[in-house]
Amino acid sequence: MSDGQSRPEHDGSAGVRELDALVIGAGVSGLYALHRLRGMGLTVRVYDRAGEVGGTWWWNRYPGARVDYPGGPFYCYTFSEELVRAWDWVERQPDQPSVLTYLNHVADTFDLRRDIQLHTTVQSAVFDEAAQRWSVETSDGERISAQFLIAAVGTLSAPNKPDIPGLDDFAGEVFHTGNWPQEERVELAGKRVGVIGTGSSGVQVIPHIAREAEHLTVFQRTPQFALPARNQPLDPELVRDSKENWGEVRRQIREYGRPLHMVPSTRSVHEDSEEERLAVFEDAWQQGGLALRECYRDLLTDPVANGYVSDFVRAKIRETVQDPAVAAKLMPDYYFATKRQVMDEGYFETYNRDDVTLVDLRDEPIETFTADGVRTTEGEYPLDVLVLATGYDAITGALRRINPVGRDGLQLEEKWAAGSRTYLGLSIVGFPNLFMFHGPESPSVMFHQFYGTESQGDWMATCIAHMREHGLATIEPVPEAEAAWGAEVQERANRTLYPQTDSWFTGANMPGKPREFMVYIGGSQYHQHLHELAANGYDGFVFEPARSVAPVTQA
């Protein structure tokens, strides 16, 4: 649309719904995008294949699912003090039902449901260069034309089903932690259950399954540096103080990614003697949560410092697991905390049970599934139920599966074949008017999720307002800006130990996926830069006015 004015929502002459903005996903980011853009007077509609709002928190209903770091009472939207005051978290690590209830509360508070279409998959999205708009088709045959396409698809929302021989031949029940049954309870009592995967969801679900199943067999692909969660009810005084001083709390989240009492230490591990260092580690271990990861500033940048804390955690595993042979299988050998940090609530203690078997797939690979269970190189394991805790095609997977088509027929799969190149983690060369929340090369999973959503959503809103004010039809980055941003992301990552570990941060969990570190390290600086860029005229972007008018580059 060239006049920069909002169009009323209606079906066009060819049965095409016209929108200013189409949002894919009704999770944390999608809800905020709808609230923010609709408040500007835009016609906005959200599409989600789920049966309710909540995004990942609607799908992840497996036993033990909860926020995997101590986020309460700060795991929430920050933009509305009224919303903060109206909601009470109960635990340091809210569980899945609590988070889902919260997101439903948000949807009701801001009357969002009337513009959300559920049970609907966006099947194709193609940029129409003549119309300067996105043409979208959904699973129910609806066609939509939208000036802006906003991907709020989530970083952990595309479940990874491993390619294991015979898996489809297994006659028992199969569940993925990322796509758990929504309506009925999964009955495990009296059943032989196998779990593949010991990442965050695996570590959460395994103790719960062990307490219910007749026998549990864990097929471990990678041992984990799991830390004790020490989840507990929230301190009422902390909750009260945070609500009364929310403006200051929000400032701290904006500048540090978390309130000040949760900010990592500035002290080096080398400033302490061995005795002092072990005392610091022990104190952090007893605190639980992320305290051990953040008790020294150089644990994620210095291999020697990381070795100290890695040895400490391995010693704790040996103390906990009674059978030395089982404990040996549970010894992680990567740099501590360079994968998504896993929180533990009785995980290692589970292996002391007589009805739990640990199979180390590094020493005993799976040969094939059969109708009755699993056959490894060492033997057969009969199963009635299989749980795939095998994670996700993280950060890029959900949008790649939609595979939008940009200028000149360029498919996103082709664009990202050698790596997920973006500008600022929210836009892509060749894909005008496509914005991403928490995309690759943004801080995404390494910054306060809700504030990060608000910051990116506010940038999108400001940009759209700028375009409407100046009658601009499209925006996209220039190649030089995209290349420079990618180089900065990798340069920052290479100052740390993260890229030296195979993880979903690097795409290493997905066969054939390009190996790259996909997260921008430096969250608060990112958000400051984002809004300075807008104030300075959108450096690195090119705007296109009406057809017949030459593009204007902001350099």
Side-chain angles (χ1 to χ4, degrees), residues 31 37 43 84 98 113 183 187 201 236 242 258 265 274 292 313 342 351 484 516:
L31 294 179
L37 298 180
T43 55
V84 169
S98 299
R113 298 183 194 278
E183 303 302 330
E187 295 293 342
S201 59
S242 66
R258 66 196 81 182
S265 170
E274 180 180 6
L292 185 65
V313 177
V342 176
Y351 295 102
E516 58 181 334

Side-chain angles (χ1 to χ4, degrees), residues 2 31 73 149 158 176 185 211 226 236 244 264 275 319 395 398 414 417 426 428 462 484-485 546:
S2 60
L31 294 179
L149 181 64
H176 194 290
R185 183 180 184 276
R211 290 193 288 268
E244 291 176 354
E275 182 179 358
E319 290 176 13
I395 302 178
E414 178 185 353
L426 55 74
I428 310 168
T462 301
W485 181 252

Side-chain angles (χ1 to χ4, degrees), residues 32 76-79 250 450-459:
Y32 185 73
C76 61
Y77 292 103
T78 75
F79 70 94
R250 190 172 195 262
F450 287 89
Y451 181 81
T453 287
E454 294 164 16
S455 177
Q456 289 187 317
D458 291 347
W459 187 93

Side-chain angles (χ1 to χ4, degrees), residues 26 46-53 113 116-121:
V46 177
Y47 292 83
D48 198 305
R49 66 188 178 92
E52 248 304 347
V53 302
R113 298 183 194 278
I116 298 174
Q117 187 164 320
L118 300 165
H119 301 291
T120 306
T121 301

Side-chain angles (χ1 to χ4, degrees), residues 57-115:
W57 290 110
W58 189 81
W59 294 101
N60 283 240
R61 296 169 182 252
Y62 59 86
R66 63 176 61 247
V67 177
D68 62 354
Y69 69 96
F74 312 106
Y75 189 79
C76 61
Y77 292 103
T78 75
F79 70 94
S80 167
E81 283 201 38
E82 291 75 16
L83 187 61
V84 169
R85 291 178 182 275
W87 188 262
D88 290 315
W89 293 110
V90 177
E91 299 175 287
R92 285 207 310 175
Q93 290 181 244
D95 61 12
Q96 180 269 339
S98 299
V99 179
L100 188 60
T101 301
Y102 171 71
L103 294 174
N104 275 275
H105 169 73
V106 172
D108 292 334
T109 298
F110 297 105
D111 188 26
L112 301 179
R113 298 183 194 278
R114 59 186 168 91
D115 291 312

